[in-house]
Amino acid sequence: MKNCLAFFLLLMMTTASAHGPVPVRLQGSPDLVRVGLTDIDTSAGGAARLCEQVAFSRGLRYGESEQNVLDVATSQTKAAMPQPVLVFVAGDTFTGDNAAPDQSREVQDQAMCFAARNGMIGVRVNYRPAPAATWPTGATDVAAALSWLHQNIDLFNGDAREIVAVGYGAGAFHVASLLAHPELQADRADVAGVVLVSGIYRAGKDASDSEKAYFGTDASQYAKRSIFPGILTIDEPIVLAWAAGDPAHLVAQGEALKDALCAAGHCPRTTILHSRDGIASAFGLDGSGDSLAEPTLLLVRQLEARGLP
């Protein structure tokens, strides 16, 4: 298994398209180069217990930037059938995570291990943050990563027909924005369902510095750079969540999105978290017990049961 992955996980340097990085199929060719790959890494810091029997493939390049990388977590016990894929797109703010990089990676590892230990493939997508990368770079990076997964996730025994994107914080906007703006989508960048957690879905005149760094300072552009009205026309099932303790403006954003979707006849399954101290906490992996784990697993099982073509 290890030798097989070491052979396949060689990635071609990519070129940029008009909308963002263009991913390619992993191949075993002398022309290809290894980019940031640490082979099979079974350690995950403080998440060691949760990540027992989980293997990580790190730093897989899906675009031309050094930040266009993703990690894949799989169970060391290979399933007989291709597995659903849970893709985590996280970010405390549009300018990056507040936590130290190692700490941020550790808690995201825990979420990936949650996927791998529950019959799925876990993927963490890294994307370019503001201010160096402005709207719509977050969405186009996510689109490129999803396109890469459609071309390559079978190498990890993943089922490209059953990809569920989990957007957290700024990542929730990037995932929702991708669905709402078809013009930002890359070839084969579709998902079967989404989970959106504590996102900003439409910036306003009271936008924070982080939001201005991504959306720009011209408030007249914010409406067309929001997820409305495009998000109201999508077919993909949505799980929507925010924490009771979130700042008032985040709660208002979640409530407004829920109301708009319900009015459009596409009511999301909604979860109010008692706490949200990171994506691991949102999935109850810190022992809090109140989490997105159950509704996310329910969504995945429903997608499996409907028998996608």
Side-chain angles (χ1 to χ4, degrees):
M1 174 69 174
K2 181 173 181 177
N3 290 337
C4 181
L5 282 176
F7 174 77
F8 277 116
L9 298 180
L10 301 170
L11 189 58
M12 184 180 292
M13 298 299 290
T14 58
T15 58
S17 72
H19 290 306
V22 179
V24 295
R25 172 76 173 178
L26 287 173
Q27 300 177 30
S29 163
D31 302 288
L32 307 183
V33 294
R34 190 183 298 263
V35 281
L37 185 64
T38 60
D39 199 15
I40 302 303
D41 175 12
T42 57
S43 64
R49 182 176 178 182
L50 179 66
C51 293
E52 289 178 355
Q53 301 303 309
V54 175
F56 284 85
S57 298
R58 303 284 195 187
L60 304 177
R61 182 76 65 82
Y62 69 81
E64 68 171 0
S65 168
E66 292 183 358
Q67 294 173 300
N68 290 146
V69 295
L70 54 82
D71 297 341
V72 179
T74 59
S75 172
Q76 291 183 333
T77 303
K78 186 175 180 179
M81 300 292 291
Q83 296 179 301
V85 184
L86 212 54
V87 180
F88 296 95
V89 184
D92 286 339
T93 69
F94 288 97
T95 52
D97 291 325
N98 292 329
D102 289 345
Q103 180 183 354
S104 176
R105 172 168 158 170
E106 180 178 319
V107 297
Q108 292 181 43
D109 279 354
Q110 293 176 25
M112 294 168 66
C113 291
F114 160 81
R117 289 172 67 103
N118 282 277
M120 296 173 281
I121 307 298
V123 178
R124 181 188 73 89
V125 172
N126 191 64
Y127 56 87
R128 292 170 288 176
T134 57
W135 187 91
T137 303
T140 55
D141 276 3
V142 174
L146 289 170
S147 184
W148 187 97
L149 290 171
H150 273 273
Q151 296 180 56
N152 295 289
I153 200 62
D154 62 306
L155 301 177
F156 300 89
N157 199 35
D159 190 337
R161 300 168 303 173
E162 296 178 359
I163 295 176
V164 173
V166 180
Y168 174 87
F173 174 81
H174 297 322
V175 170
S177 183
L178 175 63
L179 294 177
H181 293 272
E183 71 274 13
L184 303 180
Q185 297 172 9
D187 181 47
R188 298 181 67 196
D190 54 295
V191 295
V194 295
V195 180
L196 305 176
V197 188
S198 297
I200 292 287
Y201 305 112
R202 175 160 44 197
K205 293 181 179 180
D206 58 348
S208 67
D209 290 342
S210 170
E211 292 164 37
K212 291 177 181 177
Y214 183 69
F215 292 105
T217 57
D218 183 358
S220 68
Q221 300 296 310
Y222 292 169
K224 72 176 185 180
R225 294 179 179 180
S226 78
I227 67 171
F228 299 98
I231 196 69
L232 306 180
T233 64
I234 71 169
D235 296 323
E236 291 82 0
I238 298 172
V239 173
L240 181 63
W242 61 88
D246 273 343
H249 71 286
L250 278 183
V251 174
Q253 292 268 338
E255 291 177 338
L257 177 55
K258 176 187 175 182
D259 291 345
L261 286 168
C262 289
H266 189 34
C267 250
R269 182 180 293 112
T270 304
T271 297
I272 309 300
L273 305 171
H274 290 307
S275 64
R276 182 185 64 85
D277 297 324
I279 197 162
S281 174
F283 277 84
L285 306 179
D286 58 354
S288 64
D290 170 58
S291 75
L292 280 168
E294 183 176 351
T296 300
L297 288 174
L298 179 60
L299 170 61
V300 171
R301 301 315 173 210
Q302 288 176 337
L303 293 173
E304 290 182 294
R306 77 183 189 184
L308 293 175

